[in-house]
Amino acid sequence: MAIQLICTFFLNNTYFGIEVEDVQEIIRQQSLTRVPLAAPDICGLMNLRGQVIPVVDLPCRLRLRSVSCPIGEQVIYNIIVKTNDDTAGFRVDEIGDILECPLEAFEPSPTTLNSHIRWFLKGAYKLEHDFLLLLDSQKILQTTYRDTAEEIDTHSLFTSKRKYIVSDRLGR
Amino acid sequence: MESFNAVDAEDLKAFLIESHEMLAQFERDVLSLENGALNPDQLDRLYRSLHTIKGNCGFLPFAKLEAIAHAGETLLGTIRTTQRNITPDVATALLQLADAIQQVLQTIEATASEGNQDYSGLIATLTTLCKTDAIPQATITHHATPLDAADGQSGMPLDSTIDSTIRVQVDLLDYVMNLVGELVLARNRLLQLTATNQDAEIVVTGRQIDLITNELQDNVMKARMQPISTLWRNLPRLVRDLALDCGKEVALELEGSETELDRSLIAAIKDPLTHLIRNCIDHGIESPDRRMAIGKSAQGRLKLRAFQENSKVILEISDDGAGIDSTQIKARSQQMGLITAAQATSMTDREALELIFLPGFSTTTEVTRLSGRGVGMDVVRRNLESVQGTVEIDSQLGHGTTFRLKIPLTLAIIPALLVSSSNERFAIPQANVQELIRLEGEDQIQRSIETLLNVPVYRLRGQILPLVNLAAVLQLPPSTGPTDLLYFVVIAADDYRFGLIVDWIEDTQNMVVKPLSKQLRSLNMFAGATVLGDGAAALILDTSGLAKYAGVQRQSQQSFAPATELEPGLSDRQLILIMLGPQNVRMGILLTHATRLEILPSTVIERVGDQYLMQYRDRIVSLIDLQAVCTGMVSSPAEFAEFVSIVIITLDGDRTVGLIVHQILDIVEEAITVTGAATRPGVTCYATVQGHITEMLDLNAIVELTNPYRTARELLIGARR
């Protein structure tokens, strides 16, 4: 049975994932350098061991919320996504497990989803209780924020609002 | 040795490296062909390598090597056509051939000549093998012996080219570079820690790591860079051949061949450069007859100039030929439907020249003077854009054309000025920074800053300088700094000149330019990013991008041109330091003499005998009070004001004296208009500078004047450390 490893995380209490091959590492958010005049989903620049990479607020890029880069008390994690031609850090709300997903469970993106989010998706894994939405790393890296922001009420898109209990297995 | 003088040492080195590489591949291919079935690709490669070596020998005086390679090539050619397998005999002969070539190459490397080895036996074997497969084993072994013997005699040259260079993946170098970047940051933290540490051993070790890190960083950088001369090496030949083909006489001038740029970029600009040179010779430079007829020298001039400016390498290709007629370009573009008639009339000449870079633009069918100018120009531009470069064109009808290629150094260390605005730090490439200005006191700020057409401006030595507030342009929260202090950086970039208001000016550092991520490429006001000493990332400003974004007006073309046209020596404009001397008289000296301007507390002045001296940068400098020279009133040290303005002057190369003046006023660039002869000693003449009468000082005379007994010289020499 073919297995795909997925690095999972939560955005606005919705379960998302990226194929583990595209994830370089997961780090705690460091201090960022603001980029003036950048799109609202750009949180800033980070020095990742000598490499300067941008940090993108993923919920904001997916239009799951309009306020970008909120500053809270909780520890924030960045998923460093690396493809052939670009590297960026994506800020997520909460880190999940690395899941082993059987390829049989892979389905096209649910059509009930808003088209803006569907654009970023490769598809979905049907889990026991819920869906895991698989993001397309190329698309989240390449699609920059467009100014046609529309409010997306994520709560109306998903029937299940069950929040996953996440065991923090990432060695921290 | 003599046979060899004509050969460029660089060419020879390149030949040796290439040949060594081909030989290594040759051996591997022979061995694998011997073991398996005939692989046409490998056979082709074998054939090609010998052919290349043979071909290269044609340019170099190596007849023997050429003969060996030729014999091998013939054999491989036969095998290729007859499709027969490589027998062990053939393989042995081919390997011996490789050995022989190797041996000749080593001899060439050591002695710069082919040596006296006799390879006729080997050549005979190879020739015989062409005819038949059945070669007596003895023949081969017979030839193997002298080769081995020869090896034993000459020995392996230790310092060989093959050992001194290796090929390394650029990826690997990038990775090493990043590691060095991390090391630099760790070093910086370590130095901060050791600063408070009392343990001498830790401090010393910290310093050692500091030194080693710096050297490591420099050398890893260097490893990626190549001088542009590697690209220019073949140009004299290319230019000569092209000129002959077109029946023109062209002198090639190369300037700045030591300018370095990244290896990958050198490869990327090779084709565009060749194309532009071809264009200049073919269409730019006129035929000798035509040139003579219009009063130019028969020989045309093609000049290549490379230099570094900020994070860009500028490569200029200019000819002194016919130039491009913008009217004709417009007409042609209109004919081809690239622009409308209305566009053509409203277009400036400069814009018209840009038309030749349009993809459709071509004049191939048209037989005019500018025919071909546009052919492939769009390709040139596209090639450059693929490496984030640009190409600009500047042409004067009848006087020539200049193409200016700007190529970025994606990996370069540039000196940059660190400034801050609204608590954010930004780097400005030092090459764009002309001067730093600080205005103190609300009154002065109010008075100095005027508003002209809704733009705040500052009069800098009579010239109007538009001011741009960095925080406002970048939409940062307004700064809450003191209102009685204003700092601005005078920036000159491309055609822009403006003052950039910042909150604070830190210092100049060498910064590693990191390219901006694709996510941020649309932000033209930033040229890149860098990592600062404390590990934070900072943005590097692209000054011309910022000027465009802020809406700064370009300086007019006319006011810009003379500055670049004039040769420095021919200009009669000079930088003059204006100061207030005794009795508030305006005095001026040529800035070339002044090395530094200092305002120091008068306590630094010490009196030794009749001399005033001060300790300055590890040496003792004798001071000359201008007041004493002009009025004869000698002040005692107590009579000086609390702070004195001192102009440090260097005469005759290394004589340093300090001139005590009342006040330093300004530095102006002007042509001196002499308005009267000197009326007192120590003064060269009266001149009008900035519309005011100014006494121009004769510094040598002043030094003599202060020392009537001519003891100054001895004193100065004695005082020097």
Side-chain angles (χ1 to χ4, degrees), chain A residues 40-41 59-67 114 116 144-152:
Chain A
D41 59 351
C60 184
R61 176 151 292 185
L62 303 184
R63 303 287 164 77
L64 293 173
R65 64 171 172 244
S66 56
V67 183
N114 148 304
H116 185 83
T144 49
Y145 194 91
R146 279 182 241 110
D147 287 325
T148 54
E150 65 225 78
E151 284 302 315
I152 296 160

mmCIF file with all atom_site columns, all heavy atoms in Angstrom, chain A residues 40-41 59-67 114 116 144-152:
data_model
loop_
_atom_site.group_PDB
_atom_site.id
_atom_site.type_symbol
_atom_site.label_atom_id
_atom_site.label_alt_id
_atom_site.label_comp_id
_atom_site.label_asym_id
_atom_site.label_entity_id
_atom_site.label_seq_id
_atom_site.pdbx_PDB_ins_code
_atom_site.Cartn_x
_atom_site.Cartn_y
_atom_site.Cartn_z
_atom_site.occupancy
_atom_site.B_iso_or_equiv
_atom_site.pdbx_formal_charge
_atom_site.auth_seq_id
_atom_site.auth_comp_id
_atom_site.auth_asym_id
_atom_site.auth_atom_id
_atom_site.pdbx_PDB_model_num
ATOM 1   N N   . PRO A 1 40  ? 0.103   42.361 1.891  1.00 0.00 ? 40  PRO A N   1
ATOM 2   C CA  . PRO A 1 40  ? -0.248  42.205 3.312  1.00 0.00 ? 40  PRO A CA  1
ATOM 3   C C   . PRO A 1 40  ? 0.046   40.814 3.865  1.00 0.00 ? 40  PRO A C   1
ATOM 4   O O   . PRO A 1 40  ? 0.129   40.656 5.069  1.00 0.00 ? 40  PRO A O   1
ATOM 5   C CB  . PRO A 1 40  ? -1.749  42.500 3.339  1.00 0.00 ? 40  PRO A CB  1
ATOM 6   C CG  . PRO A 1 40  ? -2.197  42.470 1.940  1.00 0.00 ? 40  PRO A CG  1
ATOM 7   C CD  . PRO A 1 40  ? -1.032  42.792 1.090  1.00 0.00 ? 40  PRO A CD  1
ATOM 8   N N   . ASP A 1 41  ? 0.209   39.820 3.002  1.00 0.00 ? 41  ASP A N   1
ATOM 9   C CA  . ASP A 1 41  ? 0.475   38.490 3.555  1.00 0.00 ? 41  ASP A CA  1
ATOM 10  C C   . ASP A 1 41  ? 1.963   38.230 3.818  1.00 0.00 ? 41  ASP A C   1
ATOM 11  O O   . ASP A 1 41  ? 2.339   37.165 4.264  1.00 0.00 ? 41  ASP A O   1
ATOM 12  C CB  . ASP A 1 41  ? -0.109  37.392 2.647  1.00 0.00 ? 41  ASP A CB  1
ATOM 13  C CG  . ASP A 1 41  ? 0.464   37.448 1.238  1.00 0.00 ? 41  ASP A CG  1
ATOM 14  O OD1 . ASP A 1 41  ? 1.175   38.423 0.928  1.00 0.00 ? 41  ASP A OD1 1
ATOM 15  O OD2 . ASP A 1 41  ? 0.191   36.523 0.457  1.00 0.00 ? 41  ASP A OD2 1
ATOM 16  N N   . PRO A 1 59  ? -2.522  31.614 6.392  1.00 0.00 ? 59  PRO A N   1
ATOM 17  C CA  . PRO A 1 59  ? -3.973  31.851 6.422  1.00 0.00 ? 59  PRO A CA  1
ATOM 18  C C   . PRO A 1 59  ? -4.364  33.073 5.607  1.00 0.00 ? 59  PRO A C   1
ATOM 19  O O   . PRO A 1 59  ? -5.391  33.090 4.932  1.00 0.00 ? 59  PRO A O   1
ATOM 20  C CB  . PRO A 1 59  ? -4.267  32.078 7.906  1.00 0.00 ? 59  PRO A CB  1
ATOM 21  C CG  . PRO A 1 59  ? -3.154  31.461 8.631  1.00 0.00 ? 59  PRO A CG  1
ATOM 22  C CD  . PRO A 1 59  ? -1.962  31.539 7.748  1.00 0.00 ? 59  PRO A CD  1
ATOM 23  N N   . CYS A 1 60  ? -3.494  34.081 5.641  1.00 0.00 ? 60  CYS A N   1
ATOM 24  C CA  . CYS A 1 60  ? -3.799  35.311 4.906  1.00 0.00 ? 60  CYS A CA  1
ATOM 25  C C   . CYS A 1 60  ? -3.686  35.067 3.403  1.00 0.00 ? 60  CYS A C   1
ATOM 26  O O   . CYS A 1 60  ? -4.516  35.523 2.621  1.00 0.00 ? 60  CYS A O   1
ATOM 27  C CB  . CYS A 1 60  ? -2.858  36.405 5.369  1.00 0.00 ? 60  CYS A CB  1
ATOM 28  S SG  . CYS A 1 60  ? -3.181  37.988 4.637  1.00 0.00 ? 60  CYS A SG  1
ATOM 29  N N   . ARG A 1 61  ? -2.627  34.329 2.990  1.00 0.00 ? 61  ARG A N   1
ATOM 30  C CA  . ARG A 1 61  ? -2.471  34.039 1.565  1.00 0.00 ? 61  ARG A CA  1
ATOM 31  C C   . ARG A 1 61  ? -3.662  33.241 1.041  1.00 0.00 ? 61  ARG A C   1
ATOM 32  O O   . ARG A 1 61  ? -4.116  33.447 -0.075 1.00 0.00 ? 61  ARG A O   1
ATOM 33  C CB  . ARG A 1 61  ? -1.172  33.273 1.326  1.00 0.00 ? 61  ARG A CB  1
ATOM 34  C CG  . ARG A 1 61  ? -1.003  32.854 -0.120 1.00 0.00 ? 61  ARG A CG  1
ATOM 35  C CD  . ARG A 1 61  ? 0.417   32.745 -0.553 1.00 0.00 ? 61  ARG A CD  1
ATOM 36  N NE  . ARG A 1 61  ? 1.059   34.059 -0.604 1.00 0.00 ? 61  ARG A NE  1
ATOM 37  C CZ  . ARG A 1 61  ? 2.288   34.267 -1.037 1.00 0.00 ? 61  ARG A CZ  1
ATOM 38  N NH1 . ARG A 1 61  ? 3.001   33.257 -1.455 1.00 0.00 ? 61  ARG A NH1 1
ATOM 39  N NH2 . ARG A 1 61  ? 2.814   35.474 -1.051 1.00 0.00 ? 61  ARG A NH2 1
ATOM 40  N N   . LEU A 1 62  ? -4.173  32.332 1.853  1.00 0.00 ? 62  LEU A N   1
ATOM 41  C CA  . LEU A 1 62  ? -5.319  31.534 1.424  1.00 0.00 ? 62  LEU A CA  1
ATOM 42  C C   . LEU A 1 62  ? -6.633  32.267 1.632  1.00 0.00 ? 62  LEU A C   1
ATOM 43  O O   . LEU A 1 62  ? -7.701  31.714 1.380  1.00 0.00 ? 62  LEU A O   1
ATOM 44  C CB  . LEU A 1 62  ? -5.365  30.209 2.197  1.00 0.00 ? 62  LEU A CB  1
ATOM 45  C CG  . LEU A 1 62  ? -4.138  29.303 2.115  1.00 0.00 ? 62  LEU A CG  1
ATOM 46  C CD1 . LEU A 1 62  ? -4.401  28.011 2.838  1.00 0.00 ? 62  LEU A CD1 1
ATOM 47  C CD2 . LEU A 1 62  ? -3.767  29.024 0.672  1.00 0.00 ? 62  LEU A CD2 1
ATOM 48  N N   . ARG A 1 63  ? -6.541  33.499 2.156  1.00 0.00 ? 63  ARG A N   1
ATOM 49  C CA  . ARG A 1 63  ? -7.732  34.311 2.437  1.00 0.00 ? 63  ARG A CA  1
ATOM 50  C C   . ARG A 1 63  ? -8.630  33.661 3.485  1.00 0.00 ? 63  ARG A C   1
ATOM 51  O O   . ARG A 1 63  ? -9.838  33.776 3.417  1.00 0.00 ? 63  ARG A O   1
ATOM 52  C CB  . ARG A 1 63  ? -8.553  34.554 1.169  1.00 0.00 ? 63  ARG A CB  1
ATOM 53  C CG  . ARG A 1 63  ? -7.803  35.200 0.059  1.00 0.00 ? 63  ARG A CG  1
ATOM 54  C CD  . ARG A 1 63  ? -7.546  36.661 0.362  1.00 0.00 ? 63  ARG A CD  1
ATOM 55  N NE  . ARG A 1 63  ? -6.516  37.181 -0.506 1.00 0.00 ? 63  ARG A NE  1
ATOM 56  C CZ  . ARG A 1 63  ? -6.708  37.508 -1.763 1.00 0.00 ? 63  ARG A CZ  1
ATOM 57  N NH1 . ARG A 1 63  ? -7.892  37.397 -2.276 1.00 0.00 ? 63  ARG A NH1 1
ATOM 58  N NH2 . ARG A 1 63  ? -5.729  37.969 -2.487 1.00 0.00 ? 63  ARG A NH2 1
ATOM 59  N N   . LEU A 1 64  ? -8.023  32.948 4.396  1.00 0.00 ? 64  LEU A N   1
ATOM 60  C CA  . LEU A 1 64  ? -8.826  32.406 5.488  1.00 0.00 ? 64  LEU A CA  1
ATOM 61  C C   . LEU A 1 64  ? -9.077  33.489 6.518  1.00 0.00 ? 64  LEU A C   1
ATOM 62  O O   . LEU A 1 64  ? -9.960  33.401 7.333  1.00 0.00 ? 64  LEU A O   1
ATOM 63  C CB  . LEU A 1 64  ? -8.105  31.229 6.150  1.00 0.00 ? 64  LEU A CB  1
ATOM 64  C CG  . LEU A 1 64  ? -7.963  30.002 5.248  1.00 0.00 ? 64  LEU A CG  1
ATOM 65  C CD1 . LEU A 1 64  ? -7.107  28.957 5.893  1.00 0.00 ? 64  LEU A CD1 1
ATOM 66  C CD2 . LEU A 1 64  ? -9.349  29.441 4.942  1.00 0.00 ? 64  LEU A CD2 1
ATOM 67  N N   . ARG A 1 65  ? -8.229  34.485 6.517  1.00 0.00 ? 65  ARG A N   1
ATOM 68  C CA  . ARG A 1 65  ? -8.484  35.673 7.333  1.00 0.00 ? 65  ARG A CA  1
ATOM 69  C C   . ARG A 1 65  ? -7.789  36.850 6.673  1.00 0.00 ? 65  ARG A C   1
ATOM 70  O O   . ARG A 1 65  ? -6.846  36.682 5.896  1.00 0.00 ? 65  ARG A O   1
ATOM 71  C CB  . ARG A 1 65  ? -8.016  35.468 8.768  1.00 0.00 ? 65  ARG A CB  1
ATOM 72  C CG  . ARG A 1 65  ? -6.529  35.267 8.914  1.00 0.00 ? 65  ARG A CG  1
ATOM 73  C CD  . ARG A 1 65  ? -6.135  35.293 10.378 1.00 0.00 ? 65  ARG A CD  1
ATOM 74  N NE  . ARG A 1 65  ? -4.744  34.918 10.513 1.00 0.00 ? 65  ARG A NE  1
ATOM 75  C CZ  . ARG A 1 65  ? -4.327  33.836 11.147 1.00 0.00 ? 65  ARG A CZ  1
ATOM 76  N NH1 . ARG A 1 65  ? -5.191  33.029 11.706 1.00 0.00 ? 65  ARG A NH1 1
ATOM 77  N NH2 . ARG A 1 65  ? -3.049  33.568 11.218 1.00 0.00 ? 65  ARG A NH2 1
ATOM 78  N N   . SER A 1 66  ? -8.277  38.015 6.992  1.00 0.00 ? 66  SER A N   1
ATOM 79  C CA  . SER A 1 66  ? -7.738  39.179 6.298  1.00 0.00 ? 66  SER A CA  1
ATOM 80  C C   . SER A 1 66  ? -6.641  39.847 7.104  1.00 0.00 ? 66  SER A C   1
ATOM 81  O O   . SER A 1 66  ? -5.765  40.485 6.545  1.00 0.00 ? 66  SER A O   1
ATOM 82  C CB  . SER A 1 66  ? -8.857  40.178 6.006  1.00 0.00 ? 66  SER A CB  1
ATOM 83  O OG  . SER A 1 66  ? -9.491  40.509 7.217  1.00 0.00 ? 66  SER A OG  1
ATOM 84  N N   . VAL A 1 67  ? -6.680  39.696 8.419  1.00 0.00 ? 67  VAL A N   1
ATOM 85  C CA  . VAL A 1 67  ? -5.644  40.345 9.221  1.00 0.00 ? 67  VAL A CA  1
ATOM 86  C C   . VAL A 1 67  ? -4.407  39.459 9.194  1.00 0.00 ? 67  VAL A C   1
ATOM 87  O O   . VAL A 1 67  ? -4.448  38.297 9.558  1.00 0.00 ? 67  VAL A O   1
ATOM 88  C CB  . VAL A 1 67  ? -6.107  40.555 10.665 1.00 0.00 ? 67  VAL A CB  1
ATOM 89  C CG1 . VAL A 1 67  ? -5.030  41.288 11.449 1.00 0.00 ? 67  VAL A CG1 1
ATOM 90  C CG2 . VAL A 1 67  ? -7.398  41.315 10.667 1.00 0.00 ? 67  VAL A CG2 1
ATOM 91  N N   . ASN A 1 114 ? -14.686 27.001 -1.466 1.00 0.00 ? 114 ASN A N   1
ATOM 92  C CA  . ASN A 1 114 ? -14.597 28.245 -2.209 1.00 0.00 ? 114 ASN A CA  1
ATOM 93  C C   . ASN A 1 114 ? -13.463 28.151 -3.244 1.00 0.00 ? 114 ASN A C   1
ATOM 94  O O   . ASN A 1 114 ? -12.440 27.517 -2.999 1.00 0.00 ? 114 ASN A O   1
ATOM 95  C CB  . ASN A 1 114 ? -14.385 29.313 -1.132 1.00 0.00 ? 114 ASN A CB  1
ATOM 96  C CG  . ASN A 1 114 ? -13.558 30.463 -1.558 1.00 0.00 ? 114 ASN A CG  1
ATOM 97  O OD1 . ASN A 1 114 ? -12.429 30.279 -1.996 1.00 0.00 ? 114 ASN A OD1 1
ATOM 98  N ND2 . ASN A 1 114 ? -14.110 31.617 -1.420 1.00 0.00 ? 114 ASN A ND2 1
ATOM 99  N N   . HIS A 1 116 ? -11.317 30.094 -4.392 1.00 0.00 ? 116 HIS A N   1
ATOM 100 C CA  . HIS A 1 116 ? -10.004 30.668 -4.072 1.00 0.00 ? 116 HIS A CA  1
ATOM 101 C C   . HIS A 1 116 ? -9.140  29.644 -3.342 1.00 0.00 ? 116 HIS A C   1
ATOM 102 O O   . HIS A 1 116 ? -7.971  29.479 -3.657 1.00 0.00 ? 116 HIS A O   1
ATOM 103 C CB  . HIS A 1 116 ? -10.174 31.913 -3.210 1.00 0.00 ? 116 HIS A CB  1
ATOM 104 C CG  . HIS A 1 116 ? -8.876  32.616 -2.955 1.00 0.00 ? 116 HIS A CG  1
ATOM 105 N ND1 . HIS A 1 116 ? -8.332  33.498 -3.849 1.00 0.00 ? 116 HIS A ND1 1
ATOM 106 C CD2 . HIS A 1 116 ? -8.001  32.514 -1.943 1.00 0.00 ? 116 HIS A CD2 1
ATOM 107 C CE1 . HIS A 1 116 ? -7.200  33.930 -3.389 1.00 0.00 ? 116 HIS A CE1 1
ATOM 108 N NE2 . HIS A 1 116 ? -6.957  33.347 -2.216 1.00 0.00 ? 116 HIS A NE2 1
ATOM 109 N N   . THR A 1 144 ? 1.001   35.154 -5.570 1.00 0.00 ? 144 THR A N   1
ATOM 110 C CA  . THR A 1 144 ? 1.119   36.245 -4.608 1.00 0.00 ? 144 THR A CA  1
ATOM 111 C C   . THR A 1 144 ? -0.258  36.848 -4.355 1.00 0.00 ? 144 THR A C   1
ATOM 112 O O   . THR A 1 144 ? -1.212  36.639 -5.103 1.00 0.00 ? 144 THR A O   1
ATOM 113 C CB  . THR A 1 144 ? 2.080   37.331 -5.108 1.00 0.00 ? 144 THR A CB  1
ATOM 114 O OG1 . THR A 1 144 ? 1.713   37.651 -6.431 1.00 0.00 ? 144 THR A OG1 1
ATOM 115 C CG2 . THR A 1 144 ? 3.513   36.845 -5.071 1.00 0.00 ? 144 THR A CG2 1
ATOM 116 N N   . TYR A 1 145 ? -0.306  37.588 -3.287 1.00 0.00 ? 145 TYR A N   1
ATOM 117 C CA  . TYR A 1 145 ? -1.561  38.151 -2.815 1.00 0.00 ? 145 TYR A CA  1
ATOM 118 C C   . TYR A 1 145 ? -2.181  39.064 -3.879 1.00 0.00 ? 145 TYR A C   1
ATOM 119 O O   . TYR A 1 145 ? -1.540  39.985 -4.369 1.00 0.00 ? 145 TYR A O   1
ATOM 120 C CB  . TYR A 1 145 ? -1.251  38.955 -1.567 1.00 0.00 ? 145 TYR A CB  1
ATOM 121 C CG  . TYR A 1 145 ? -2.443  39.336 -0.767 1.00 0.00 ? 145 TYR A CG  1
ATOM 122 C CD1 . TYR A 1 145 ? -2.889  38.502 0.247  1.00 0.00 ? 145 TYR A CD1 1
ATOM 123 C CD2 . TYR A 1 145 ? -3.103  40.526 -0.992 1.00 0.00 ? 145 TYR A CD2 1
ATOM 124 C CE1 . TYR A 1 145 ? -3.980  38.859 1.004  1.00 0.00 ? 145 TYR A CE1 1
ATOM 125 C CE2 . TYR A 1 145 ? -4.196  40.872 -0.249 1.00 0.00 ? 145 TYR A CE2 1
ATOM 126 C CZ  . TYR A 1 145 ? -4.639  40.036 0.749  1.00 0.00 ? 145 TYR A CZ  1
ATOM 127 O OH  . TYR A 1 145 ? -5.707  40.386 1.495  1.00 0.00 ? 145 TYR A OH  1
ATOM 128 N N   . ARG A 1 146 ? -3.397  38.805 -4.210 1.00 0.00 ? 146 ARG A N   1
ATOM 129 C CA  . ARG A 1 146 ? -4.061  39.707 -5.149 1.00 0.00 ? 146 ARG A CA  1
ATOM 130 C C   . ARG A 1 146 ? -4.993  40.626 -4.376 1.00 0.00 ? 146 ARG A C   1
ATOM 131 O O   . ARG A 1 146 ? -5.452  40.276 -3.280 1.00 0.00 ? 146 ARG A O   1
ATOM 132 C CB  . ARG A 1 146 ? -4.829  38.906 -6.208 1.00 0.00 ? 146 ARG A CB  1
ATOM 133 C CG  . ARG A 1 146 ? -3.900  38.422 -7.315 1.00 0.00 ? 146 ARG A CG  1
ATOM 134 C CD  . ARG A 1 146 ? -4.660  37.677 -8.377 1.00 0.00 ? 146 ARG A CD  1
ATOM 135 N NE  . ARG A 1 146 ? -4.167  36.314 -8.459 1.00 0.00 ? 146 ARG A NE  1
ATOM 136 C CZ  . ARG A 1 146 ? -4.853  35.268 -8.075 1.00 0.00 ? 146 ARG A CZ  1
ATOM 137 N NH1 . ARG A 1 146 ? -6.068  35.412 -7.576 1.00 0.00 ? 146 ARG A NH1 1
ATOM 138 N NH2 . ARG A 1 146 ? -4.348  34.068 -8.188 1.00 0.00 ? 146 ARG A NH2 1
ATOM 139 N N   . ASP A 1 147 ? -5.231  41.755 -4.938 1.00 0.00 ? 147 ASP A N   1
ATOM 140 C CA  . ASP A 1 147 ? -5.960  42.762 -4.167 1.00 0.00 ? 147 ASP A CA  1
ATOM 141 C C   . ASP A 1 147 ? -7.471  42.571 -4.176 1.00 0.00 ? 147 ASP A C   1
ATOM 142 O O   . ASP A 1 147 ? -8.211  43.396 -3.649 1.00 0.00 ? 147 ASP A O   1
ATOM 143 C CB  . ASP A 1 147 ? -5.602  44.164 -4.658 1.00 0.00 ? 147 ASP A CB  1
ATOM 144 C CG  . ASP A 1 147 ? -4.206  44.516 -4.209 1.00 0.00 ? 147 ASP A CG  1
ATOM 145 O OD1 . ASP A 1 147 ? -3.812  44.094 -3.104 1.00 0.00 ? 147 ASP A OD1 1
ATOM 146 O OD2 . ASP A 1 147 ? -3.503  45.194 -4.966 1.00 0.00 ? 147 ASP A OD2 1
ATOM 147 N N   . THR A 1 148 ? -7.921  41.501 -4.761 1.00 0.00 ? 148 THR A N   1
ATOM 148 C CA  . THR A 1 148 ? -9.367  41.251 -4.801 1.00 0.00 ? 148 THR A CA  1
ATOM 149 C C   . THR A 1 148 ? -9.792  40.468 -3.574 1.00 0.00 ? 148 THR A C   1
ATOM 150 O O   . THR A 1 148 ? -10.384 39.402 -3.672 1.00 0.00 ? 148 THR A O   1
ATOM 151 C CB  . THR A 1 148 ? -9.723  40.453 -6.058 1.00 0.00 ? 148 THR A CB  1
ATOM 152 O OG1 . THR A 1 148 ? -8.897  39.281 -6.049 1.00 0.00 ? 148 THR A OG1 1
ATOM 153 C CG2 . THR A 1 148 ? -9.464  41.243 -7.314 1.00 0.00 ? 148 THR A CG2 1
ATOM 154 N N   . ALA A 1 149 ? -9.427  40.994 -2.425 1.00 0.00 ? 149 ALA A N   1
ATOM 155 C CA  . ALA A 1 149 ? -9.706  40.263 -1.192 1.00 0.00 ? 149 ALA A CA  1
ATOM 156 C C   . ALA A 1 149 ? -11.208 40.127 -0.970 1.00 0.00 ? 149 ALA A C   1
ATOM 157 O O   . ALA A 1 149 ? -11.959 41.074 -1.108 1.00 0.00 ? 149 ALA A O   1
ATOM 158 C CB  . ALA A 1 149 ? -9.075  40.996 -0.021 1.00 0.00 ? 149 ALA A CB  1
ATOM 159 N N   . GLU A 1 150 ? -11.607 38.910 -0.693 1.00 0.00 ? 150 GLU A N   1
ATOM 160 C CA  . GLU A 1 150 ? -13.005 38.724 -0.356 1.00 0.00 ? 150 GLU A CA  1
ATOM 161 C C   . GLU A 1 150 ? -13.027 37.995 0.972  1.00 0.00 ? 150 GLU A C   1
ATOM 162 O O   . GLU A 1 150 ? -12.165 37.182 1.254  1.00 0.00 ? 150 GLU A O   1
ATOM 163 C CB  . GLU A 1 150 ? -13.731 37.919 -1.435 1.00 0.00 ? 150 GLU A CB  1
ATOM 164 C CG  . GLU A 1 150 ? -13.220 36.496 -1.557 1.00 0.00 ? 150 GLU A CG  1
ATOM 165 C CD  . GLU A 1 150 ? -13.017 36.095 -3.004 1.00 0.00 ? 150 GLU A CD  1
ATOM 166 O OE1 . GLU A 1 150 ? -11.991 36.509 -3.568 1.00 0.00 ? 150 GLU A OE1 1
ATOM 167 O OE2 . GLU A 1 150 ? -13.862 35.389 -3.527 1.00 0.00 ? 150 GLU A OE2 1
ATOM 168 N N   . GLU A 1 151 ? -13.960 38.347 1.762  1.00 0.00 ? 151 GLU A N   1
ATOM 169 C CA  . GLU A 1 151 ? -14.058 37.701 3.063  1.00 0.00 ? 151 GLU A CA  1
ATOM 170 C C   . GLU A 1 151 ? -14.506 36.261 2.867  1.00 0.00 ? 151 GLU A C   1
ATOM 171 O O   . GLU A 1 151 ? -15.448 35.969 2.142  1.00 0.00 ? 151 GLU A O   1
ATOM 172 C CB  . GLU A 1 151 ? -15.075 38.450 3.938  1.00 0.00 ? 151 GLU A CB  1
ATOM 173 C CG  . GLU A 1 151 ? -14.538 39.750 4.489  1.00 0.00 ? 151 GLU A CG  1
ATOM 174 C CD  . GLU A 1 151 ? -13.277 39.547 5.328  1.00 0.00 ? 151 GLU A CD  1
ATOM 175 O OE1 . GLU A 1 151 ? -13.271 38.617 6.154  1.00 0.00 ? 151 GLU A OE1 1
ATOM 176 O OE2 . GLU A 1 151 ? -12.313 40.300 5.132  1.00 0.00 ? 151 GLU A OE2 1
ATOM 177 N N   . ILE A 1 152 ? -13.799 35.392 3.507  1.00 0.00 ? 152 ILE A N   1
ATOM 178 C CA  . ILE A 1 152 ? -14.173 33.989 3.370  1.00 0.00 ? 152 ILE A CA  1
ATOM 179 C C   . ILE A 1 152 ? -14.553 33.487 4.757  1.00 0.00 ? 152 ILE A C   1
ATOM 180 O O   . ILE A 1 152 ? -13.751 33.513 5.689  1.00 0.00 ? 152 ILE A O   1
ATOM 181 C CB  . ILE A 1 152 ? -13.015 33.168 2.813  1.00 0.00 ? 152 ILE A CB  1
ATOM 182 C CG1 . ILE A 1 152 ? -12.688 33.644 1.407  1.00 0.00 ? 152 ILE A CG1 1
ATOM 183 C CG2 . ILE A 1 152 ? -13.359 31.689 2.805  1.00 0.00 ? 152 ILE A CG2 1
ATOM 184 C CD1 . ILE A 1 152 ? -11.323 33.264 0.965  1.00 0.00 ? 152 ILE A CD1 1
#
